[in-house]
Amino acid sequence: MSISSLLTGWSLPEKKTETKIRKYSTTGDILSYKRCPRQYGFFSVRGFSSATATQRYFGTLVHDVLDRINRNYKIGVPLPSEDDVNELVSQAHDRLIRSGVRPYNAPQQQKHAATLIYRFVKWAGPHFFPNVKETEYRLERVLKTHTNRDYILDGVVDVLSGAVSHSLGLPLKTSAQDIEIWDYKSGDRPDQNSPEMQAYIYQMRVYAELFRQQTGKYPARCSLVFIGELDNKNWNDENKAPKDLSKVFNFVEPVAKEVETALKDFSETVELIEKERSKRYSEQWKAPDAKKTDRKTCEACELRFNCNGFPEGNKLRAEAL
Amino acid sequence: MNLDSFYNILSKAHQNKLPLNSEQEEAFKHTYKTPLWIIAGPGTGKTHTLVWLVLKRILVDGIDPERIILTTFTRKAAAELESRIIQSRQILIDAGSQEAEAIDLTRLHIGTLHSLCSDILQNQRYEPTLRIRILEDELVQQFFLRRSRNPLLNNGAVSFWQRFGIAKQNDNFAPIKSVRTEGACKLFNRMTENSVDVNAMMGSGDQDYIQLAEGYQKYQEDLREKYRTDQAHLQRHFLDFLDTPEGEQWIANGFTVLVDEYQDTNPIQEEIYFRLAKKTRDLTVVGDDDQSLYRFRGATVESLIDFDRACKIYLNTTPKPVYLSENRRSHPKIVDFVSRYIKKHPDMKDPVIRVRAPGKPELKAASNITGNYPAVMAIARSTHRDAAHKMASTIQEMLQEKLVSDPSQIALLTFSTRESSQSIGAYTEALELAGIPYYNPRNRRAQRSERFKALIGALTSILDPDDFYLAPNYPLPRNVPQYVASARAEYLQLAPNYSELVQYVNNSVQALKQASPDSKNKYLVRKGGRRVTLSGLLYKLLSFEPFATDLGRQTEGERFKVLNLILAEYESLYYSGEILLSETPNGTSVDNKIMYPFYATFIEGIHDGLNDPEDDEVSIQEGMVNVMTIHQSKGLEFEVVFVLRPDKQPFLSDTHIMEDEFDAFSQRPTKPKLRRSQDMRAAEDGVRLFFVAYSRAKRLLVLTGSNFLKWQRALGADDQGRPITSESALKDMGVHFL
């Protein structure tokens, strides 16, 4: 007997479509996708393991030590001496090593990190740390894209502070009531017009908007601190201050129109990512045009040996090992 | 907002009809002076209730979202729950609720308990766990035990392993190292979850326990030393954190705690939930004991069944039970079948010990699926081949006649989706023969695929051109040389068609032989001087055809990924994957220190197929019939369900044995005073599995297999309590035989 003749009164079940509201991290998703869709798809969405832990060593080290100094300061520990900084760096390093991160040339990197951090603490610390309100401050909002798709955008601000710039006497329109968002970058400041720098600036604008939605108003400014710019090239050892301040700090003052542009750009990126996700597996996360990717990104990428975004990789593939 | 206004706006948003039935409303009336105990059968709108309940708690009870902790069993379920809460809030906003507009849902703590513990410890900068590395995967935990040379792995007494169910009673020798490692991990995990008193074990005078305790202490020391933790220890860290001054301050005001899938909670999690809600007594647990499937991972179904007892012990109070029994999922005949199955099953009855939650009503059919057809059917044949053939032709007809709108509305559920002859090989083969597209992540072709092996073959060809794996002075685990040899053979088979790959492998072999390690650099380097890692080699191989194309195919790509992840974890334990060289008369070769563990631990770990995590968060693949384990199907529903192999018998596992063995040392406050026998507990678990499988079906449930005489456990008893042993008895209940 056939199955259909048995199923009296059977009705065709509808196909269900579920809409998921996905969470997007400003750095881990949006900026990462913009850097390279293929790399993002493989490492962030599909979850392949990447050796970037090694590359992140320095950044993590700097970040962890600054965080610890902050926390200590909060409970009344005075700002650290040079020896203290060395000790804190070595503790943070020890944690990373024990958990299996293997950096290249660790002693030198440690020493470098300690130098930069100590300079920062000594030079900006008395203005900076007393004004810190929160560290790793989470901003998270439910937003809609231009096609009305819901998504959650989140970002973690390194430091939410009071009027640091005011206290430092920077040549800006500051006031003692300012609220500021600070983001540490452990490297050098990229070229002002580079995509990398533009991405940072957009990130700051979006933070400003998330902050506004969360608290009702914009922060006075978002400040990128390029800790790497406190190295010998840019350090005046006589007055113990950076030679060129504009290399160390980059301020983004929220202007509604610019903020809106940045947010629109993010929501368009969300749409692009969603579109990519809805494709068949084999069609997803194709390499971008070679002109659109940054060389440094490609050179560090595990997928470089077979990628349209990096034609040199084809040659490198044939090389041994 | 009071409850009436909440109901008003809720009704307004749903065509002026309150989307809650009277049972569900019971949960909304609760005042939270005592915990709430929601026992929800399959398809009774558990998530629906939970979602609106969370919004009610915020809007009506005025709880700050920041003070709400909502957990569920998997990350995927947590993400879905969060999505649904956000969407439901939007529904209220669209219906005009300004209050709903004002709430900030992003402040809710939603996640798995594990992820929340991890986040909170990070936010609080709890020193012992800062930047700690979590051994997430079972295999990785095993690598860790091996790397740290845990003394328990050297225990060669078969009686020890037999005692804990890791060796069979009739075994003459202790199990091989990989089995011991897996067993040791299970033992340690259960010890942590049950808060075992290690000192009492040490002082027990029982050699087995003393050795176990010593191994465990060494494991804990190694975790500390190597700055790692496992899932169970992370939760232990969290409890320890709560005892610090910072922790006390963090928890001072207590939390509103809601726990989904509470039937699969383990003792340490139970303790955490009661600690979080200690101050407020505001604890809501939701679950179905009949759907508890994770005993083998340490879950204790009595957490839900005896929740009233736990509330007495922890909070000195009595919870309010609420029962959800209106099933809106399935055809009434399926509901009847499922409901009778669990209620009448002889294995689920016990005069003394609670096997099911007390006071549970029968499931009531309330779906809008009608149709006067036999919604429960059976395919019983004398061989699996014949049964499989009938199943495939039935599916083919359903697809041809367009009885479903997409093949993914049909699912095949089974104990294990391994496509071996002992399992469901005959069934997937029949689908293949009939040309029916199906998706099985454990597909044999992907699992043991020639490609997967060829990749391993190519990798070992580069690393070990001198066939160290056959070297007799370093005996490797029995199966490893055999596996490597067959992987090499697969690689050689590919060779004629993929010259670019072969050339690369050969060049690399030469480069390795000619490498000249010196005292400054003893490691293998690429042109330019960067050290090569195992992962680096794997990625490079993946850039060659045919692997590059495979990488883009779902089944193969996902398997390659698992391989890549496990290799990365292995590397973090062994020389960061860097390749130490040594000089030999034949030229340079990879040092034994690298090759031996690579074979004995890594290859040994993966050779038998990669892990099959039962809660693997499968997503349904459209356009294909989906094949999955019953565990994976938890929380899902399908229009048509074929339950394969009802002849499968319950089996006593090491978990059942460990439960009894550790009982004397467990410091769990809610330890049951009495347990059923191990065999009875194993039988219960079997019944629950079938119950979950059957209750996934919406329109049609087909029991499919051979060996009808062995179906009794899967069929249970009839309304009068008589075991169902014949086809005619089943037919009398309205089951149609195809």
Side-chain angles (χ1 to χ4, degrees), chain A residues 105, chain B residues 516-525 529 531 578 580-581 583:
Chain A
N105 212 346
Chain B
S516 44
D518 54 42
S519 57
K520 261 180 83 186
N521 193 358
K522 298 179 196 151
Y523 291 88
L524 186 62
V525 293
R531 286 181 188 176
E578 291 179 338
L580 187 69
L581 299 175
E583 312 255 24

mmCIF file of all heavy atoms in Angstrom, chain A residues 105, chain B residues 516-525 529 531 578 580-581 583:
data_model
loop_
_atom_site.group_PDB
_atom_site.id
_atom_site.type_symbol
_atom_site.label_atom_id
_atom_site.label_comp_id
_atom_site.label_asym_id
_atom_site.label_seq_id
_atom_site.Cartn_x
_atom_site.Cartn_y
_atom_site.Cartn_z
ATOM 1 N N ASN A 105 60.618 35.993 20.199
ATOM 2 C CA ASN A 105 61.488 36.925 20.882
ATOM 3 C C ASN A 105 60.835 37.615 22.084
ATOM 4 O O ASN A 105 60.805 38.840 22.192
ATOM 5 C CB ASN A 105 61.944 37.993 19.866
ATOM 6 C CG ASN A 105 63.329 38.464 20.211
ATOM 7 O OD1 ASN A 105 63.810 38.203 21.317
ATOM 8 N ND2 ASN A 105 63.964 39.155 19.289
ATOM 9 N N SER B 516 69.874 22.298 7.991
ATOM 10 C CA SER B 516 71.047 22.143 8.833
ATOM 11 C C SER B 516 70.820 22.849 10.158
ATOM 12 O O SER B 516 71.097 24.036 10.297
ATOM 13 C CB SER B 516 72.275 22.696 8.121
ATOM 14 O OG SER B 516 71.951 23.929 7.527
ATOM 15 N N PRO B 517 70.262 22.115 11.095
ATOM 16 C CA PRO B 517 70.026 22.718 12.397
ATOM 17 C C PRO B 517 71.351 23.027 13.069
ATOM 18 O O PRO B 517 72.312 22.268 12.919
ATOM 19 C CB PRO B 517 69.276 21.629 13.168
ATOM 20 C CG PRO B 517 69.637 20.348 12.479
ATOM 21 C CD PRO B 517 69.912 20.692 11.062
ATOM 22 N N ASP B 518 71.446 24.149 13.741
ATOM 23 C CA ASP B 518 72.665 24.439 14.490
ATOM 24 C C ASP B 518 72.265 24.720 15.932
ATOM 25 O O ASP B 518 71.090 24.667 16.283
ATOM 26 C CB ASP B 518 73.424 25.611 13.861
ATOM 27 C CG ASP B 518 72.551 26.826 13.697
ATOM 28 O OD1 ASP B 518 71.777 27.123 14.638
ATOM 29 O OD2 ASP B 518 72.613 27.462 12.630
ATOM 30 N N SER B 519 73.245 25.043 16.722
ATOM 31 C CA SER B 519 72.950 25.201 18.143
ATOM 32 C C SER B 519 72.008 26.383 18.377
ATOM 33 O O SER B 519 71.261 26.408 19.345
ATOM 34 C CB SER B 519 74.246 25.396 18.917
ATOM 35 O OG SER B 519 74.919 26.515 18.364
ATOM 36 N N LYS B 520 72.008 27.340 17.449
ATOM 37 C CA LYS B 520 71.143 28.498 17.639
ATOM 38 C C LYS B 520 69.709 28.223 17.212
ATOM 39 O O LYS B 520 68.756 28.689 17.804
ATOM 40 C CB LYS B 520 71.693 29.709 16.854
ATOM 41 C CG LYS B 520 72.474 30.656 17.758
ATOM 42 C CD LYS B 520 73.010 31.837 16.999
ATOM 43 C CE LYS B 520 71.981 32.955 16.826
ATOM 44 N NZ LYS B 520 72.534 34.023 15.954
ATOM 45 N N ASN B 521 69.607 27.500 16.144
ATOM 46 C CA ASN B 521 68.255 27.183 15.689
ATOM 47 C C ASN B 521 68.123 25.713 15.351
ATOM 48 O O ASN B 521 68.633 25.247 14.345
ATOM 49 C CB ASN B 521 67.885 28.034 14.473
ATOM 50 C CG ASN B 521 66.400 27.940 14.198
ATOM 51 O OD1 ASN B 521 65.689 27.208 14.899
ATOM 52 N ND2 ASN B 521 65.935 28.658 13.214
ATOM 53 N N LYS B 522 67.411 25.017 16.231
ATOM 54 C CA LYS B 522 67.286 23.578 16.044
ATOM 55 C C LYS B 522 65.962 23.224 15.393
ATOM 56 O O LYS B 522 65.570 22.071 15.367
ATOM 57 C CB LYS B 522 67.369 22.885 17.401
ATOM 58 C CG LYS B 522 68.695 23.098 18.094
ATOM 59 C CD LYS B 522 68.641 22.378 19.439
ATOM 60 C CE LYS B 522 69.743 22.862 20.334
ATOM 61 N NZ LYS B 522 69.405 22.785 21.754
ATOM 62 N N TYR B 523 65.256 24.245 14.937
ATOM 63 C CA TYR B 523 63.907 23.990 14.439
ATOM 64 C C TYR B 523 63.831 24.120 12.920
ATOM 65 O O TYR B 523 64.625 24.820 12.302
ATOM 66 C CB TYR B 523 62.923 24.959 15.093
ATOM 67 C CG TYR B 523 62.741 24.690 16.554
ATOM 68 C CD1 TYR B 523 63.592 25.284 17.499
ATOM 69 C CD2 TYR B 523 61.754 23.819 17.008
ATOM 70 C CE1 TYR B 523 63.444 25.024 18.851
ATOM 71 C CE2 TYR B 523 61.597 23.551 18.358
ATOM 72 C CZ TYR B 523 62.445 24.161 19.277
ATOM 73 O OH TYR B 523 62.299 23.898 20.605
ATOM 74 N N LEU B 524 62.837 23.474 12.383
ATOM 75 C CA LEU B 524 62.616 23.538 10.944
ATOM 76 C C LEU B 524 62.113 24.930 10.573
ATOM 77 O O LEU B 524 61.193 25.450 11.197
ATOM 78 C CB LEU B 524 61.581 22.472 10.553
ATOM 79 C CG LEU B 524 61.304 22.275 9.066
ATOM 80 C CD1 LEU B 524 62.564 21.807 8.343
ATOM 81 C CD2 LEU B 524 60.182 21.257 8.860
ATOM 82 N N VAL B 525 62.752 25.531 9.565
ATOM 83 C CA VAL B 525 62.318 26.862 9.134
ATOM 84 C C VAL B 525 61.989 26.862 7.644
ATOM 85 O O VAL B 525 62.493 26.044 6.883
ATOM 86 C CB VAL B 525 63.391 27.946 9.400
ATOM 87 C CG1 VAL B 525 63.586 28.162 10.886
ATOM 88 C CG2 VAL B 525 64.704 27.581 8.729
ATOM 89 N N GLY B 529 63.276 32.186 7.044
ATOM 90 C CA GLY B 529 63.683 32.021 8.425
ATOM 91 C C GLY B 529 62.595 31.791 9.463
ATOM 92 O O GLY B 529 62.906 31.565 10.621
ATOM 93 N N ARG B 531 59.919 29.879 11.617
ATOM 94 C CA ARG B 531 59.742 28.477 11.984
ATOM 95 C C ARG B 531 58.433 27.927 11.430
ATOM 96 O O ARG B 531 57.418 28.607 11.426
ATOM 97 C CB ARG B 531 59.726 28.332 13.503
ATOM 98 C CG ARG B 531 61.110 28.493 14.080
ATOM 99 C CD ARG B 531 61.092 28.326 15.573
ATOM 100 N NE ARG B 531 62.407 28.667 16.105
ATOM 101 C CZ ARG B 531 62.695 28.691 17.392
ATOM 102 N NH1 ARG B 531 61.769 28.410 18.282
ATOM 103 N NH2 ARG B 531 63.902 28.997 17.788
ATOM 104 N N GLU B 578 56.129 23.626 16.958
ATOM 105 C CA GLU B 578 57.383 23.827 16.240
ATOM 106 C C GLU B 578 58.102 22.489 16.082
ATOM 107 O O GLU B 578 57.902 21.567 16.879
ATOM 108 C CB GLU B 578 58.252 24.833 16.998
ATOM 109 C CG GLU B 578 57.628 26.215 16.933
ATOM 110 C CD GLU B 578 58.425 27.259 17.671
ATOM 111 O OE1 GLU B 578 59.203 26.878 18.556
ATOM 112 O OE2 GLU B 578 58.249 28.437 17.362
ATOM 113 N N LEU B 580 61.220 20.350 15.973
ATOM 114 C CA LEU B 580 62.605 20.189 16.393
ATOM 115 C C LEU B 580 63.296 19.175 15.485
ATOM 116 O O LEU B 580 62.732 18.140 15.158
ATOM 117 C CB LEU B 580 62.618 19.690 17.844
ATOM 118 C CG LEU B 580 63.960 19.613 18.555
ATOM 119 C CD1 LEU B 580 64.517 21.009 18.819
ATOM 120 C CD2 LEU B 580 63.798 18.845 19.868
ATOM 121 N N LEU B 581 64.536 19.509 15.078
ATOM 122 C CA LEU B 581 65.237 18.629 14.141
ATOM 123 C C LEU B 581 66.382 17.899 14.823
ATOM 124 O O LEU B 581 66.896 18.338 15.846
ATOM 125 C CB LEU B 581 65.800 19.464 12.993
ATOM 126 C CG LEU B 581 64.772 20.218 12.151
ATOM 127 C CD1 LEU B 581 65.467 21.106 11.137
ATOM 128 C CD2 LEU B 581 63.812 19.252 11.461
ATOM 129 N N GLU B 583 70.028 15.351 13.639
ATOM 130 C CA GLU B 583 70.811 14.825 12.515
ATOM 131 C C GLU B 583 70.855 13.300 12.596
ATOM 132 O O GLU B 583 71.042 12.743 13.676
ATOM 133 C CB GLU B 583 72.256 15.360 12.595
ATOM 134 C CG GLU B 583 72.336 16.846 12.829
ATOM 135 C CD GLU B 583 72.717 17.599 11.572
ATOM 136 O OE1 GLU B 583 72.490 17.071 10.466
ATOM 137 O OE2 GLU B 583 73.232 18.721 11.695
#
